[in-house]
Amino acid sequence: MCARMREELLAFVSRRGTLLEPAAVEYLLSQQDPMGPLDRFLASCSEVPFVVTLQDVVRAADLGRNAAIRTRPAVSMSSAVQAATVTLVMPASFHRQGETASDHAPDVKILRDITGRSTCEGTIEDFTRYFRNRFQTLSRMLRSRRELGGTQEISKARRSTREVRFIGMVSDVRATKNGHRILELEDETDRISVLVLADSPSAAETFVMDEVVGIVGKVNDRGLVIAESVVRPDIPVTRPFRGIGEHLRAAFMSDVHVGSTTFLDEKWAKLTTWMSSDDEVARSLRYLVVSGDVVDGIGVYPRQDEELSIDDIYGQYEALSKMMAGLPDHVSVVMIPGNHDAVRPAEPQPALPAPIQKLFDSNITFAGNPSLVSLDGVKVLAYHGRSMDDFVSAIPGMNYHRPLDAMRQMLKMRHLAPIYGGKTPIAPEAEDHLIVEDVPDIFVTGHVHSVGVDTYRGVVLVNSSTWQAQTPYQKMRNIEPLPARLPIVDLASGQAVIKEF
Ligand code: D5M
Ligand code: FE
Ligand code: ZN
C-alpha cells in the first residue's frame, strides 16, 4: 500500500515537472492525502519550482487545514448561485455570520487606474508604443511559465527543425474547411502561421485578435508551425480566497441608468429600505461597488432623447447623488464610469470629472474604468465590461446571458479588452492599463444587464445586474435583462450570494 502510494506520489511529481526533496516525500507519505499539500503548494506558485522542499509542503499542509473550513463553502455556494441566478439565495449560514459595518471605519484605496495619468494623443506612434507595451508585458508573464522555457523570437523559431516555443500576438484567425484553424502570430521580429489541428489537445481553445499567446510546436517543411500546445498567460491555479478577519460584506451594482424612462425606481426604493433595515446582512454591508453606466447619459445612441426622463446630464448625476445619499452611512461607495457616463468613451476611462464629483457626498470614491481598488485589503478589479460585446461577436457559444464565461476568458488572457477595432474603443496609453497585472481577489463587471457569481481559480467573479428594465433597443436585439439583483460578497470567506428585489 505504502509502496504504491510512494510510486503514485513520485509519478504525480514527475507529471508536474518538478522534484521532491527526500524529506518532503517522507512527510507527505505520513499525511492522509499526500498529494493534497503538494498540489496546493504548486497551485500557489506562478511557475513550477525546480525542487519542492519539506518546508514548502509543511506550510501548504498547515495552510490547507486552516483554509479548508473557510473556502469550501464559498466554492460550492457560488456555483449553486450561478445555477439559480434569478432567485434570492441567502442561506441561513450567510446571515448568522454578520458583523455590523457601522462599527468599522472604511478603508478604500485605489491601487491602479488611469485617472490623471493619461498620456496619449492618439497618434500612430502612440499606437505602436501601446501594442509594444501590451506584447512585452504579456510575454513577460508567459516567459515565466515552465511550459515556455527557452522561447525563441519568431525569426529564429521559423528556421528551427526541432520543437520550438515562441510568443506572439494574434493578427489573424481563420478556420480551414476541415475544421482546423490557422493563426497568424507576430512578435517584434517576424510573423508566422500556426496550424491548430481539429483533433489536437488545443482544439477546444478559442482565439481572439490581438491577444498574446505562447505556442509549443514543430515547424514543417513549408514553414508552417504545427501547434502541440497553446499557453495562455492565465492566473495561478486555485489559491484560497485571501479574506479579512471579519464577516463584513461588499455589494455590487452597475448600469443604474438614472435618467432613463426605464429606470426601476420602485425596485430602487425597495433596495434602499432593505439596506437601511435591521437585516443582519444589510447591516454588515460596508462597501458598494458601482461598476459603470451609473446614469443613462445624453446622445449615447440615436434618438435616446425619446427614452429619457431627465434630459440634462447634470440633472441625471444630481438625481443619482440623491439616491446615493439615501443609502445608509455605513456603506462606502466606489464608483467607476461606463460607456453611458460623462467621460471619454475610450478605455481606460478616467474617473468622473470634478464638476460631477462635486455633486456627491464625500463618502464616495470615484475611480477609473477599469480600476483595481483595495477594500480593507481585499483587491477588487472593477471593469464596466464593454469588451463583452466583442467577446460575444468573436467567440462562438459566448452570449450576453453568460458574462462569467467572458470574464474567465479575460483572466486567462490576462486582458480585459484584447480585441482592438471592435465595439470597445481603446485609447493608446503608454502602458496597457487593460492588462490584468495583479491577480484580484474579486473581479466584477457590469454592462450586459445580466447577473451572476462564480469563482475562477480562487478569484470571485461577479457580474452585477442593472436597475433598468428592458429598453426598446435591447428588445430589438433580444437582450433580456435580469434587473434589480444585488450580488453580495462576504469579505472574510469570498462566499457570494445574489439578493433579488
Ligand atoms: O448596454 C446594454 C446592453 O446592450 C448590453 O447587454 C450590451 C448591449 N449593447 C450595448 N451596446 C451594444 C452594441 N453596440 N452592440 C451590441 N450590443 C450592445 P449599455 O451599455 O447599457 O447600452
Ligand atoms: Fe448599461
Ligand atoms: Zn454599458
Side-chain angles (χ1 to χ4, degrees), residues 153-438:
E153 291 178 334
I154 290 178
S155 58
K156 291 222 181 70
R158 70 154 64 259
R159 294 198 298 267
S160 176
T161 49
R162 290 176 302 171
E163 186 187 80
V164 288
R165 295 158 188 228
F166 57 88
I167 294 166
M169 186 179 282
V170 176
S171 65
D172 192 29
V173 195
R174 54 186 192 275
T176 72
K177 54 179 185 301
N178 303 324
H180 309 309
R181 275 165 311 158
I182 297 177
L183 309 176
E184 297 295 331
L185 292 189
E186 284 179 14
D187 70 4
E188 288 159 312
T189 65
D190 207 345
R191 107 187 236 149
I192 199 163
S193 305
V194 177
L195 180 65
V196 181
L197 293 167
D199 58 357
S200 73
S202 304
E205 297 281 341
T206 46
F207 300 93
V208 301
M209 295 289 282
D210 310 313
E211 67 163 317
V212 177
V213 297
I215 299 287
V216 180
K218 285 220 175 77
V219 191
N220 75 5
D221 49 12
R222 283 179 298 159
L224 181 70
V225 177
I226 315 297
E228 276 157 21
S229 62
V230 175
V231 185
R232 287 259 159 49
D234 219 321
I235 58 172
V237 201
T238 321
R239 17 159 242 157
F241 182 79
R242 227 177 27 91
I244 59 171
E246 301 153 285
H247 289 283
L248 291 162
R249 298 189 171 90
F252 297 85
M253 64 164 67
S254 62
D255 301 274
V256 193
H257 289 273
V258 174
S260 158
T261 48
T262 45
F263 167 67
L264 294 163
D265 42 6
E266 282 170 23
K267 298 281 187 190
W268 186 271
K270 278 192 185 166
L271 167 81
T272 308
T273 308
W274 176 76
M275 273 176 99
S276 310
S277 74
D278 267 351
D279 180 284
E280 240 178 294
V281 174
R283 278 177 30 207
S284 73
L285 286 181
R286 180 186 249 186
Y287 301 106
L288 173 66
V289 179
V290 189
S291 299
D293 283 2
V294 300
V295 300
D296 205 51
I298 308 284
V300 179
Y301 55 89
R303 301 174 63 180
Q304 187 188 14
D305 49 331
E306 294 167 16
E307 292 167 27
L308 288 178
S309 60
I310 309 173
D311 60 4
D312 168 77
I313 191 76
Y314 281 95
Q316 292 180 359
Y317 284 103
E318 265 165 16
L320 176 68
S321 160
K322 286 204 188 92
M323 285 159 50
M324 291 289 154
L327 301 181
D329 289 341
H330 60 83
V331 180
S332 290
V333 177
V334 178
M335 194 179 277
I336 72 166
N339 51 302
H340 281 250
D341 286 289
V343 284
R344 77 169 184 197
E347 297 177 6
Q349 297 179 285
L352 290 168
I356 287 174
Q357 292 189 21
K358 279 202 198 104
L359 303 172
F360 289 81
D361 287 351
S362 59
N363 73 336
I364 299 193
T365 304
F366 294 91
N369 170 41
S371 297
L372 184 69
V373 294
S374 153
L375 306 180
D376 271 314
V378 174
K379 285 185 186 169
V380 180
L381 175 61
Y383 172 54
H384 177 62
R386 180 101 200 241
S387 68
M388 285 194 272
D389 294 338
D390 294 313
F391 274 102
V392 168
S393 315
I395 302 186
M398 209 158 267
N399 67 58
Y400 281 114
H401 288 297
R402 301 184 57 88
L404 302 177
D405 290 349
M407 293 171 71
R408 269 185 281 271
Q409 288 292 332
M410 293 178 201
L411 293 181
K412 280 186 189 179
M413 295 171 182
R414 293 290 284 261
H415 205 286
L416 298 173
I419 304 166
Y420 180 79
K423 288 173 183 147
T424 314
I426 293 176
E429 297 292 345
E431 268 175 53
D432 189 347
H433 292 262
L434 299 163
I435 290 177
V436 182
E437 284 260 6
D438 298 311

Side-chain angles (χ1 to χ4, degrees), residues 71-179:
T71 54
R72 239 176 246 142
V75 174
S76 56
M77 220 359 266
S78 51
S79 358
V81 171
Q82 189 177 31
T85 46
V86 289
T87 49
L88 158 59
V89 188
M90 198 165 300
S93 64
F94 197 77
H95 261 274
R96 267 199 307 277
Q97 304 160 327
E99 244 147 291
T100 305
S102 52
D103 301 341
H104 304 262
D107 177 12
V108 180
K109 290 189 192 78
I110 301 174
L111 302 177
R112 206 183 257 272
D113 86 336
I114 185 69
T115 310
R117 299 196 294 136
S118 173
T119 55
C120 75
E121 290 161 13
T123 62
I124 298 283
E125 292 76 32
D126 282 348
F127 280 99
T128 312
R129 184 184 57 175
Y130 169 75
F131 282 107
R132 186 174 299 140
N133 179 267
R134 176 188 293 195
F135 179 74
Q136 287 172 349
T137 312
L138 291 170
S139 48
R140 201 180 327 114
M141 288 183 196
L142 279 163
R143 273 199 305 272
S144 73
R145 297 286 303 272
R146 211 190 111 265
E147 306 94 298
L148 289 177
T151 50
Q152 293 176 305
E153 291 178 334
I154 290 178
S155 58
K156 291 222 181 70
R158 70 154 64 259
R159 294 198 298 267
S160 176
T161 49
R162 290 176 302 171
E163 186 187 80
V164 288
R165 295 158 188 228
F166 57 88
I167 294 166
M169 186 179 282
V170 176
S171 65
D172 192 29
V173 195
R174 54 186 192 275
T176 72
K177 54 179 185 301
N178 303 324

